[in-house]
Amino acid sequence: MFGALTFLAPWALAAAVALPVLWWLLRVTPPSPRLVRFPAVRLLFGLTAREETPARTPWWLILLRLLLAALLILAIAHPVINADTRAAGAGPLLVVVDDGWAAARQWQRRQAALATLLDQADRSQRPVILVTTAPSADGEPIRVSDLMSAGDARAVAQAMAPKPWPADRGGTAKALRQIERAAGMRVVWLSDGIDSPGAHELGRRLRMFGMTEIFIDPPVARARVLLPPHAGDRDFAPRLRRASAGIEERVWIRASDSGGRTLARQQAVFPAGAHEAIAVFDLPSELRNRVARLDLEDEASAAAVALIDERWRRRPVGVVTGGEAEVTPLLSGRHYAEKALAPFVELRQGSVDELLARTLAITLLPDGARPTARELARLEDWVSKGGVLVRFAGPNLSQAPDALLPVRLRSGGRQLGGALSWTAPMTLAPFPDNGPFAGLPIPPDVRVTTQVLAEPEMDLNAKTWARLTDGTPLVTAERRGEGWLVLVHTTGSPSWSNLPMSGLFVDMLRRLVSLSQGVADTEADGRLAPAELLDGLGRLRPPVAAVAALDGDDIVSTVPSPKHPPGLYGDDATRRALNLGPAVADLRPLDVPSGMMATTYDHARREIDLKPWLLAAVLVLAVLDMAIALALRGLLGRRAATAAMAGLLLLPVTGGRSQARQDEAAALEAALNTRLAYVRTGDPTTDEISEAGLAGLTRVLERRSTVVMAQPMGVDIESDALLFFPLLYWPITDGQAPPSAAAAQKLNLYLRHGGMILFDTRDQGEVHFGQGPGSQKLQRLAESLAIPPLIPVSADHVLAKSFYLLHEMPGRYSGDTVWVERTNEQVNDGVSSVVIGSHDWAGAWATDDRGQPLLAVVPGGEQQREMAYRFGVNLVMYALTGNYKGDQVHVPHILERLSR
């Protein structure tokens, strides 16, 4: 050893004594004679005899060859930096590897440490014993491997992978009892740094074999646990836990749908000294209900994944408002319905037209709403397309029933003291097994005093979902097209019954919400077969035969294990998620057992093997020596040598000019093809979406029109030329700085000479232009730009009819106004140089390499995405064709004038 340098084969250094002899031989041995081609014609051009016979090899060539020999000797001696001298010995190497869920985050470090240990054992000819602490996938008890060579152990180590369930350190300690202590044994524990039952028992067992080294992750590198949001909460707020309450830490959580497309990202902050953090996702219900998975970014682990099923869906429920007086809310049926559903769904209030303008899962129609005939017709059409309409009876409905009912009603109502009266208030009969309320317990104190009666019909029994004890229907329903029409034969307020004041009313409404289109029943009874399971790195995989079905009633209390790994269970109708996070009750750092020598993976001695580098240097010098020998003999052409020298001399010059050449190449590429461009904002995510959006729009243009375009480019407004692009897409972000004076002058010149810029503030559709943060940022960015006066795009504008006839121009969001320049036929061919909106068009256009959309579109889904593509096609046509499309609008007037 020489400091940190160790020679594993020091006997090879004895060959260095031959270097002086080699030097003497090279010095006295002349080089090979030079071959000179001597045609007879050259005899006429000079006959001066020049004879030179070198007596020795040039000194610089001797040094080169001596260096080559010295490097070869050093390579054979196998030098290693930071070699662990503790590896020397004859006893076996016992390595215990934590491979439970907590080991996944730093799994590559564990593999690197294990590879180093096996390399050391290989050099020392030590036999190896490998033990993992997590049970195997087949559920068998933990086993200790037999003694094997380091080469065989290396193959086993390469096949190791973290498992998505906890480690069983107590079982590992029990398995180690079969190993007998041997002289010179080396014991190493590659731990995950997280405490678990049996950890100290395992430590005591390992110390019985001798001095134990334990590798442990530093606090900031230990596993974190992601817990899904509480299923009943109004907010969609996943929580994070860490083992050590250290410094402040910021973590990003990504929400994605079942296709892997990112829907949102949110940051969670661990305050200094805190073990838990929370991230609140502010998502519209359309996006929230599409979330299928939450992930910690840059962390591959089953504990860093939270799968989302129907229990976390917040369905949009509309409550029709009407003639009820809000001065007495406790007498309003709408009040009790809203209080019952508010913790579980997203409630919306308004008229029928306002509610049906957006997607709804279910609509509640209290008796006081009094819809018009046109509104009833629209509700009926909505139900036929898959909606669920729940109506409540009351004085208005009993006096004037309409046709939008599941059954025909008798005139008048049935009440205490009336013509059709009871002697006492009626209770509810048990719910039928074939209805949605099956299994709900009925409180004995629920009483009904008044109801509307259904006319006896042949199918009345099949339409009845709830009855009173005398057999009269309380809830009836009928299938209408793809949806359901439901009638509660009493009021939604306490005036006819105390049902709205009971917990049964809440359960019944939740069951009705579960009827809505695309919503599975939230109660998963019976056995749920495994569908897709998480592996140790958080990836969904098909189930294996050893995994058993899961009882739906026990899914909340089930701890992931080889028998029940985390993942998705059940069929498409009753898909349930079993997550690892809720099962991790106590997340604490591992207390290193006494008597162990602890080392973090970061500070472990990392061996650097110099042998491969020395052999590579020997090869390079050997090739160089061969080239010099050929040149001395005249066998290497002068042109080749000259070219090589010129390349070496010009290398600094070409490096200085490379940027200029790249700029010229980019300008040439932009000039030779028509293409769209986007402004680089400096935000990598925004720039990637912009590029993917324009690429998706380019593909749509090629499929639907004769436009031929190259792939879009990103431009820097400060340094790049803009005149090559007909359309420039400029997304507004918070971090953008205002353009410099030179850039502003260049942008104004671009706009003045026919260029078009699409400014996209990307504010939500609910925020009107000028009020959102993106709009305010645009105002600051555009202060130095010559933006002309703007007007809203009307239905008669050329942009609305340049290819498609458009009545709206949505993007990823919809609902706001699109602004264009007040047209002037004498400037830029009558084409607006500026288009401004807040719809995030690139987000709607963006697709991956397979053509699959990257981001969700709200609230209109794929139909809205299609309209966004149509707007993009119109915009490009408008930018390319000038007022040609505008002239087409005036063709009838021109023909009429010519006919005169």
Side-chain angles (χ1 to χ4, degrees):
M1 295 184 60
F2 297 91
L5 183 64
T6 303
F7 291 95
L8 303 182
W11 55 266
L13 296 177
V17 299
L19 290 179
V21 178
L22 180 62
W23 173 81
W24 180 79
L25 290 175
L26 292 175
R27 183 174 180 273
V28 300
T29 303
S32 300
R34 181 177 182 183
L35 178 63
V36 178
R37 300 189 183 276
F38 194 63
V41 180
R42 297 192 62 183
L43 293 173
L44 303 177
F45 296 100
L47 300 177
T48 303
R50 297 181 60 188
E51 182 179 356
E52 295 181 0
T53 301
R56 58 181 61 88
T57 303
W59 66 269
W60 51 268
L61 185 57
I62 296 176
L63 291 179
L64 177 66
R65 291 174 177 175
L66 286 176
L67 177 61
L68 189 152
L71 291 179
L72 181 59
I73 293 172
L74 289 175
I76 296 174
H78 200 165
V80 176
I81 297 177
N82 289 333
D84 193 346
T85 57
R86 295 172 297 176
L93 170 66
L94 171 61
V95 183
V96 178
V97 183
D98 280 339
D99 62 339
W101 64 265
R105 184 182 180 190
Q106 302 295 337
W107 184 247
Q108 292 183 347
R109 291 186 178 183
R110 263 168 279 283
Q111 283 188 315
L114 181 56
T116 300
L117 292 172
L118 295 180
D119 289 342
Q120 295 170 356
D122 194 9
R123 295 195 299 264
S124 303
Q125 300 298 313
R126 283 179 177 269
V128 179
I129 303 173
L130 288 180
V131 187
T132 57
T133 60
S136 60
D138 56 8
E140 294 294 327
I142 295 175
R143 295 188 296 267
V144 178
S145 72
D146 297 329
L147 283 173
M148 51 186 167
S149 65
D152 295 337
R154 190 176 290 110
V156 175
Q158 291 174 351
M160 287 183 182
K163 300 178 178 65
W165 45 78
D168 183 8
R169 288 166 172 164
T172 306
K174 183 178 180 181
L176 289 174
R177 294 176 182 174
Q178 59 183 295
I179 300 179
E180 295 182 0
R181 181 177 180 179
M185 176 180 284
R186 184 186 183 193
V187 184
V188 180
W189 180 7
L190 301 180
S191 76
D192 54 31
I194 301 297
D195 195 11
S196 67
H200 288 276
E201 181 183 356
L202 176 59
R204 288 194 299 270
R205 173 60 57 177
L206 291 177
R207 290 199 307 273
M208 295 176 62
F209 297 107
M211 183 61 186
T212 302
E213 307 164 47
I214 180 171
F215 287 73
I216 193 167
D217 288 315
V220 295
R222 292 172 188 170
R224 296 170 296 209
V225 176
L226 176 62
L227 287 82
H230 292 300
D233 286 355
R234 182 187 302 271
D235 294 330
F236 193 71
R239 291 171 295 138
L240 274 171
R241 289 178 183 168
R242 62 178 179 177
S244 301
I247 62 175
E248 179 180 300
E249 188 177 4
R250 298 178 181 271
V251 182
W252 283 94
I253 302 177
R254 180 177 60 249
S256 55
D257 62 8
S258 57
R261 292 177 289 270
T262 300
L263 302 178
R265 296 171 69 245
Q266 187 61 45
Q267 189 179 68
V269 179
F270 285 102
H275 288 271
E276 189 166 314
I278 190 169
V280 180
F281 284 82
D282 186 11
L283 296 174
S285 60
E286 292 88 350
L287 275 185
R288 172 172 175 169
N289 293 336
R290 290 181 55 186
V291 174
R293 178 181 175 124
L294 297 172
D295 294 87
L296 288 182
E297 291 190 353
D298 303 325
E299 185 168 338
S301 165
V305 175
L307 301 175
I308 304 298
D309 59 31
E310 293 295 333
R311 291 172 291 173
W312 285 273
R313 307 287 189 250
R314 285 185 64 85
R315 297 300 170 181
V317 174
V319 181
V320 180
T321 58
E324 291 182 290
E326 288 300 327
V327 294
T328 56
L330 295 181
L331 300 180
S332 169
R334 187 172 76 243
H335 171 79
Y336 291 90
E338 291 173 354
K339 290 296 183 181
L341 291 177
F344 313 107
V345 301
E346 179 186 345
L347 285 172
R348 302 173 184 170
Q349 300 180 6
S351 64
V352 172
D353 293 335
E354 292 172 344
L355 292 176
L356 298 188
R358 298 177 64 184
T359 302
L360 288 177
I362 184 173
T363 300
L364 303 181
L365 183 59
D367 182 63
R370 300 180 185 179
T372 64
R374 184 188 64 81
E375 292 175 334
L376 288 174
R378 190 171 182 191
L379 283 171
E380 185 172 10
D381 178 68
W382 175 76
V383 170
S384 65
K385 295 178 180 178
V388 177
L389 176 63
V390 179
R391 303 192 63 176
F392 292 89
N396 297 322
L397 187 62
S398 65
Q399 297 299 325
D402 51 60
L404 192 59
L405 295 170
V407 295
R408 291 189 302 114
L409 300 180
R410 290 184 179 184
S411 59
R414 182 183 183 188
Q415 59 184 354
L416 286 173
L420 298 173
S421 63
W422 297 299
T423 56
M426 299 298 295
T427 58
L428 274 66
F431 296 113
D433 295 334
N434 59 349
F437 308 134
L440 290 180
I442 300 175
D445 57 343
V446 173
R447 297 288 189 272
V448 178
T449 58
T450 307
Q451 68 173 144
V452 293
L453 296 176
E455 290 285 356
E457 296 177 344
M458 295 292 295
D459 58 350
L460 180 59
N461 186 57
K463 294 181 179 180
T464 302
W465 285 354
R467 291 184 176 87
L468 299 179
T469 50
D470 65 350
T472 56
L474 181 65
V475 180
T476 56
E478 182 184 27
R479 193 77 167 174
R480 291 284 181 93
E482 298 295 327
W484 285 97
L485 184 59
V486 183
L487 173 64
V488 180
H489 289 240
T490 187
T491 59
S493 66
S495 57
W496 286 12
S497 167
N498 64 352
L499 175 64
M501 302 178 67
S502 67
L504 177 62
F505 187 67
V506 177
D507 295 335
M508 292 176 67
L509 288 182
R510 293 188 65 183
R511 291 288 183 93
L512 291 177
V513 171
S514 69
L515 293 174
S516 60
Q517 189 174 16
V519 184
D521 186 5
T522 55
E523 299 295 333
D525 298 326
R527 305 293 290 176
L528 302 176
E532 292 182 287
L533 304 177
L534 289 173
D535 64 7
L537 297 177
R539 300 168 298 190
L540 284 173
R541 294 287 187 262
V544 296
V547 179
L550 188 61
D551 192 343
D553 295 334
D554 298 333
I555 194 167
V556 177
S557 58
T558 300
V559 177
S561 63
K563 184 179 180 181
H564 300 303
L568 297 173
Y569 291 78
D571 54 20
D572 292 337
T574 57
R575 186 65 59 90
R576 290 293 174 265
L578 175 62
N579 289 303
L580 177 64
V584 183
D586 192 9
L587 190 64
R588 296 178 301 173
L590 176 65
D591 291 331
V592 177
S594 60
M596 286 190 177
M597 183 171 57
T599 304
T600 63
Y601 290 94
D602 289 336
H603 294 87
R605 295 173 65 93
R606 298 300 175 89
E607 295 185 350
I608 302 176
D609 192 350
L610 298 181
K611 183 176 181 179
W613 299 98
L614 292 174
L615 290 177
V618 169
L619 179 61
V620 171
L621 291 180
V623 172
L624 180 60
D625 180 78
M626 183 180 298
I628 293 174
L630 292 175
L632 291 176
R633 297 181 60 187
L635 298 179
L636 185 63
R638 183 174 298 177
R639 293 182 178 178
T642 304
M645 292 300 296
L648 293 175
L649 293 175
L650 292 177
L651 184 60
V653 179
T654 56
R657 296 180 180 176
S658 60
Q659 185 62 42
R661 292 182 178 179
Q662 291 177 4
D663 295 340
E664 293 176 3
L668 182 61
E669 184 181 2
L672 292 179
N673 297 282
T674 302
R675 67 181 76 230
L676 305 176
Y678 64 92
V679 174
R680 296 194 189 99
T681 63
D683 181 5
T685 302
T686 302
D687 293 345
E688 290 174 5
I689 293 300
S690 298
E691 183 175 8
L694 294 185
L697 179 59
T698 299
R699 286 191 287 268
V700 170
L701 283 165
E702 292 177 348
R703 290 196 301 265
R704 302 186 184 185
S705 69
T706 58
V707 173
V708 178
M709 283 189 165
Q711 288 300 305
M713 291 179 60
V715 296
D716 186 344
I717 59 175
E718 298 290 341
S719 58
D720 293 336
L722 307 178
L723 67 159
F724 306 111
F725 308 104
L727 177 64
L728 199 61
Y729 176 75
W730 191 337
I732 305 301
T733 62
D734 293 337
Q736 294 185 58
S740 63
Q745 182 179 1
K746 182 167 53 175
L747 287 167
N748 290 330
L749 189 65
Y750 171 75
L751 295 175
R752 197 160 51 242
H753 289 80
M756 178 185 294
I757 300 179
L758 173 61
F759 291 99
D760 193 346
T761 62
R762 303 184 306 143
D763 291 321
Q764 294 268 348
E766 293 82 358
V767 179
H768 295 292
F769 179 75
Q771 301 177 0
S775 301
Q776 298 173 5
K777 180 66 177 178
L778 174 59
Q779 294 175 11
R780 293 191 294 270
L781 290 177
E783 288 180 351
S784 57
L785 302 182
I787 302 296
L790 303 177
I791 60 173
V793 175
S794 63
D796 296 331
H797 196 276
V798 180
L799 182 56
K801 57 182 69 174
S802 58
F803 195 87
Y804 292 103
L805 296 178
L806 299 180
H807 300 289
E808 57 180 350
M809 301 177 181
R812 191 182 176 202
Y813 311 117
S814 66
D816 203 2
T817 306
V818 178
W819 299 80
V820 295
E821 177 185 353
R822 182 181 294 133
T823 56
N824 184 350
E825 298 295 336
Q826 305 300 322
V827 179
N828 290 341
D829 207 18
V831 178
S832 174
S833 60
V834 173
V835 180
I836 302 178
S838 59
H839 297 74
D840 191 9
W841 285 290
W845 300 333
T847 58
D848 58 17
D849 296 336
R850 298 173 298 173
Q852 297 298 319
L854 293 178
L855 299 175
V857 173
V858 293
E862 295 307 311
Q863 178 64 29
Q864 181 174 322
R865 192 187 304 278
E866 171 61 24
M867 298 305 297
Y869 277 130
R870 294 187 180 186
F871 165 73
V873 173
N874 276 27
L875 181 68
V876 175
M877 290 296 179
Y878 180 55
L880 294 178
T881 60
N883 63 3
Y884 166 71
K885 295 292 183 178
D887 291 341
Q888 284 188 322
V889 177
H890 304 294
V891 165
H893 303 286
I894 295 173
L895 293 178
E896 180 183 0
R897 182 173 299 177
L898 291 176
S899 64
R900 296 177 184 175

